[in-house]
Amino acid sequence: QVQFVESGGGLVQPGGSLRLSCAASGIVFSQIAMGWYRQAPGEQRELVATVSRGGSTNYANSVRGRFTISRDNAKNTVYLQMNSLKPEDTAVYYCNPDGWGVYWGQGTQVTVSS
């Protein structure tokens, strides 16, 4: 079945870095654009970054220049490198095919705090 398993979150100080991973199964991964989303407490889920089948990327204004999305089609995995983290980046992070909005995984918690 379709499944997305996120990992790599944790507690980090402001200015620190984390690398998130998301392993996908049950889909033809190489043919699907993928996205990273996040949801902070009391907020709606928002799109953070996307990567197309061919590797083209797009970012939300709030993370552009600090986050980098990438994919490894051989491993059915999408990554999110997060640098210069800020307290407002605190959220649960999810991966999902761009535009699907179903089959959400459990997410991975990112907390940025001193």
Side-chain angles (χ1 to χ4, degrees):
Q1 71 273 22
V2 178
Q3 191 174 20
F4 303 101
V5 180
E6 300 92 349
S7 62
L11 173 63
V12 63
Q13 292 186 341
S17 298
L18 284 174
R19 189 192 194 207
L20 307 184
S21 300
C22 171
S25 58
I27 61 172
V28 184
F29 181 81
S30 62
Q31 299 302 308
I32 296 175
M34 292 295 297
W36 278 99
Y37 301 75
R38 67 185 181 187
Q39 187 168 21
E43 302 289 335
Q44 287 192 332
R45 190 172 290 161
E46 64 172 345
L47 179 63
V48 173
T50 61
V51 58
S52 72
R53 296 178 299 172
S56 298
T57 58
N58 279 293
Y59 299 92
N61 288 337
S62 58
V63 307
R64 186 175 290 113
R66 300 187 298 121
F67 290 10
T68 302
I69 188 171
S70 61
R71 64 191 299 159
D72 185 336
N73 289 338
K75 296 181 178 180
N76 283 8
T77 300
V78 60
Y79 304 97
L80 187 67
Q81 177 68 43
M82 306 186 296
N83 299 328
S84 303
L85 282 161
K86 305 176 180 180
E88 51 264 43
D89 294 318
T90 295
V92 180
Y93 284 72
Y94 304 86
C95 76
N96 202 258
D98 186 18
W100 279 26
V102 293
Y103 303 116
W104 294 101
Q106 83 289 347
T108 186
Q109 175 71 49
V110 172
T111 303
V112 185
S113 175
S114 55

